[in-house]
Amino acid sequence: MSTATEANFDGLVGPTHNYSGLSFGNVASLNNSARASNPKAAAKQGLTKMKALTDMGFVQGVLAPHERPHIPTLRRLGFSGSDAHILQQAAKQAPKLLAAVSSASCMWTANAATVSPSGDTSDKRVHFTPANLVNKFHRSIEHETTGAILRATFNNERHFAHHLALPSVDQFGDEGAANHTRFCDGYGEQGVEFFVYGMEAFNNNAPRPTKFPARHTLEASQAVARRHGLSPDQVVYAQQNPAVIDAGVFHNDVIAVGNRNAHFYHQEAFLDTAKMRDDLLAAWGDRDSTLHFIGVPSADVSVQDSIQSYLFNSQLLSRGDNDMILVVPGECENNPAVWAYLNSLIAGNSPINEVKVFDLKQSMSNGGGPACLRLRVALTEAERQAINPSTLMNDALFERLNHWVDKHYRDELHEKDLADPMLLIESRNALDELTRILNLGNVYEFQR
């Protein structure tokens, strides 16, 4: 138990990373649509963060990107002929559909799945449920490949249990770990799993946003908790404030983040903050450590500054007991109110003692900060040894993946380029080689 740790598995940015403005409710995504992207820079920015966390002593893994453009989806939607002909017809008849099936959004692996560690589950295995992401078409096509990549990464049935995604309907809209946090004394001990939802699907009288969609439902969270075999008295549900969803907070991880015994959140994040605190404290009980609530007042940092800077879409990482580091995007340093707050935070009495800044502009321009790019998996030493070792970051893998990016990725991509048959060929060649680097087997449809 004492040797359990938390691993972060970051999504590797795919070769078709582009700005098509596909995510209604995500302000950065909408504001940057039609800009040229740089897939090579995006992938390297992500790799740099992964390597830096590895060098700091954290367990860091890599999750492979998906096949894009996704020709099988276009075939299911009535396009036929050769792959090149399908791309040509889609670009002519349905350009936004082509953009959707070309999205590299799977890099935001906080939406890949919900993960429950073995300390929480009835069968003492780590459980994974890929998120159906039903609210956005371009993300709703991800969960089958996500499941295949997770099974190839955590490929030992003795330690890991893999579920299918929930039914792909709005009532069970599931956005994965972006709306899920776990509080615990130590990573190997039983924790409190905290599920945040945007609306109650089967209760029309309950509050819900009016401008932007509530992507995640209470019913989805309850279903995941049941299938993972979680103890009901160690599960807490809280509703997002509908007003902040309408302001552009499309996931809870844009307005709050938690780790071990610290909950860092904006004062407007939740519909009922007092109930959230009371429910977490009741589930926390008489554990050895104090559960710290670090609520950021609107007077210090506004909701809009939170969204613009992605202050809360940061990684909160433990270096030891009551010693945490906050990994933030460069936008935080450039926002005077946010940077002033962070300096006061680390000078205060909370467990957060250091802030580390990373340049993630390519991801941030599509609305994804440090926390979006990673899936957290708490592991015992035996479980860590059971992971596919080829997916764990180290000096050799960092060098090999940088060389792979240099070989296969473009340094400029416009939306019109998505119809280029050569981009599809380049992407497939890249992914085919990547499955050998990461020892994943044939996880892509084009390989089968």
Side-chain angles (χ1 to χ4, degrees):
M1 289 292 211
S2 61
T3 58
T5 189
E6 182 183 77
N8 286 274
F9 278 78
D10 282 33
L12 189 54
V13 180
T16 63
H17 163 65
N18 71 93
Y19 301 132
S20 297
L22 298 171
S23 190
F24 182 65
N26 178 334
V27 176
S29 170
L30 297 176
N31 287 348
N32 289 293
S33 63
R35 272 184 52 204
S37 65
N38 186 333
K40 183 178 290 186
K44 292 200 162 201
Q45 286 171 3
L47 284 168
T48 297
K49 178 172 83 78
M50 293 186 228
K51 180 60 163 56
L53 294 190
T54 304
D55 290 344
M56 290 162 60
F58 296 105
V59 180
Q60 177 68 59
V62 181
L63 292 175
H66 295 192
E67 175 193 355
R68 296 291 183 268
H70 197 239
I71 298 296
T73 293
L74 292 176
R75 290 190 185 278
R76 283 198 290 273
L77 295 174
F79 295 97
S80 59
S82 67
D83 291 346
H85 183 70
I86 285 172
L87 289 172
Q88 181 186 19
Q89 292 303 303
K92 185 176 178 181
Q93 298 174 23
K96 280 300 176 188
L97 179 57
L98 177 59
V101 302
S102 303
S103 172
S105 53
C106 64
M107 66 180 168
W108 297 308
T109 56
N111 301 116
T114 302
V115 183
S116 293
S118 57
D120 300 352
T121 62
S122 56
D123 67 358
K124 301 306 175 189
R125 293 189 293 170
V126 183
H127 283 245
F128 298 83
T129 292
N132 59 30
L133 303 172
V134 70
N135 187 260
K136 296 287 176 281
F137 169 70
H138 69 286
R139 304 221 61 183
S140 71
I141 63 175
E142 292 177 12
H143 62 84
E144 289 185 13
T145 301
T146 296
I149 290 170
L150 288 172
R151 289 191 299 273
T153 305
F154 302 93
N155 54 359
N156 185 313
E157 289 186 6
R158 179 182 171 193
H159 294 290
F160 307 116
H162 294 277
H163 303 274
L164 297 176
L166 296 176
S168 290
V169 293
D170 285 345
Q171 288 86 347
F172 292 99
D174 177 12
E175 298 285 310
N179 288 323
H180 174 260
T181 299
R182 178 177 184 258
F183 301 102
C184 59
D185 261 339
Y187 291 120
E189 299 166 29
Q190 184 171 31
V192 177
E193 299 211 12
F194 182 54
F195 292 85
V196 180
Y197 61 93
M199 71 174 189
E200 295 180 44
F202 294 114
N203 181 359
N204 291 328
N205 296 319
R208 58 181 63 184
T210 57
K211 179 183 177 183
F212 290 140
R215 303 185 185 187
H216 198 124
T217 67
L218 171 63
E219 291 82 354
S221 295
Q222 291 169 329
V224 170
R226 282 193 296 269
R227 60 161 47 168
H228 288 193
L230 304 181
S231 175
D233 65 352
Q234 295 297 292
V235 174
V236 172
Y237 304 99
Q239 184 169 358
Q240 259 191 290
N241 180 356
V244 299
I245 295 178
D246 282 339
V249 178
F250 50 99
H251 293 134
N252 183 60
D253 71 359
V254 178
I255 202 80
V257 61
N259 171 54
R260 285 185 64 175
N261 64 330
H263 192 196
F264 180 49
Y265 60 93
H266 193 276
Q267 75 168 68
E268 296 181 46
F270 300 98
L271 181 64
D272 189 338
T273 302
K275 185 176 188 302
M276 175 274 291
R277 288 172 58 112
D278 289 346
D279 290 351
L280 281 174
L281 285 169
W284 187 256
D286 59 357
R287 284 175 167 84
D288 292 339
S289 60
T290 300
L291 184 58
H292 295 269
F293 292 94
I294 309 165
V296 180
S298 300
D300 291 345
V301 178
S302 68
V303 170
Q304 283 307 317
D305 277 343
S306 300
I307 295 168
Q308 183 276 326
S309 67
Y310 267 36
L311 165 63
F312 296 97
N313 196 250
S314 48
Q315 287 179 261
L316 188 54
L317 304 166
S318 287
R319 295 182 294 198
D321 292 341
N322 289 307
D323 181 17
M324 299 186 193
I325 181 171
L326 193 70
V327 173
V328 303
E331 284 74 2
C332 286
E333 195 172 18
N334 299 329
N335 184 302
V338 169
W339 195 241
Y341 175 80
L342 285 172
N343 279 298
S344 68
L345 175 69
I346 59 177
N349 295 321
S350 83
I352 303 172
N353 297 317
E354 186 183 348
V355 172
K356 197 159 184 67
V357 180
F358 284 92
D359 175 11
L360 297 166
K361 286 186 181 68
Q362 287 289 318
S363 176
M364 285 287 290
S365 294
N366 248 345
C372 284
L373 287 163
R374 62 93 173 95
L375 182 68
R376 295 188 285 185
V377 187
L379 299 161
T380 65
E381 185 57 33
E383 292 157 358
R384 181 176 163 183
Q385 294 299 325
I387 293 172
N388 171 356
S390 299
T391 63
L392 293 175
M393 181 57 67
N394 53 40
D395 290 348
L397 183 60
F398 178 71
E399 186 174 334
R400 196 171 181 190
L401 289 178
N402 269 289
H403 175 73
W404 172 82
V405 169
D406 284 331
K407 177 180 174 183
H408 293 290
Y409 279 51
R410 300 185 182 189
D411 54 20
E412 185 172 274
L413 198 66
H414 297 263
E415 195 171 334
K416 63 180 174 60
D417 298 328
L418 302 176
D420 180 2
M422 283 308 299
L423 179 65
L424 176 65
I425 293 169
E426 292 164 18
S427 299
R428 285 178 171 174
N429 287 341
L431 296 180
D432 197 42
E433 183 178 334
L434 182 65
T435 56
R436 294 192 293 276
I437 294 172
L438 300 180
N439 194 26
L440 298 176
N442 295 335
V443 293
Y444 302 112
E445 285 154 294
F446 74 86
Q447 294 176 310
R448 302 195 288 269

